[in-house]
Amino acid sequence: ADGAIGNNSKWTAGIIILGDEILKGLTKDTNSYYLCTKLWSLGVKVKVGKVSVIPDDMEEISHEVKQFSFRYPVVITTGVIGLKMHGIA
């Protein structure tokens, strides 16, 4: 499972989970568990407190992605953004 990152323990990643359904308890978040397990197996450290779950709000998503981009070389988002959110950049 060696990729571009390899076993470089200096890498960190931020994970942003998107979804009102998770925050309302309608859906169980299994993505963060899967991603943390996979990243650790690749040698990427995901520090505790660096997984964020946020609502389906365009401004909040944009803000969180920008903040994570400044702090982490790897930023992963997961969840359904929807068609109305296609303008996020």
Side-chain angles (χ1 to χ4, degrees):
D2 282 338
I5 296 170
N7 290 320
N8 185 350
S9 62
K10 294 179 182 179
W11 283 86
T12 58
I15 299 171
I16 303 170
I17 310 295
L18 310 174
D20 290 332
E21 68 282 355
I22 292 172
L23 293 170
K24 292 176 183 176
L26 302 174
T27 301
K28 186 177 189 179
D29 169 35
T30 56
N31 291 342
S32 58
Y33 171 79
Y34 172 80
L35 289 168
C36 287
T37 302
K38 190 66 172 174
L39 289 169
W40 272 100
S41 75
L42 295 172
V44 180
K45 293 184 180 179
V46 181
K47 296 181 180 180
V48 175
K50 305 307 182 207
V51 176
S52 178
V53 181
I54 60 173
D56 295 326
D57 176 80
M58 188 175 346
E59 288 182 27
E60 192 159 352
I61 294 168
S62 179
H63 174 77
E64 196 78 348
V65 169
K66 286 177 187 175
Q67 293 302 309
F68 269 51
S69 296
F70 289 124
R71 297 172 67 184
Y72 310 107
V74 177
V75 177
I76 300 169
T77 62
T78 180
V80 179
I81 295 175
L83 296 175
K84 67 179 181 170
M85 306 291 245
H86 72 280
I88 296 176

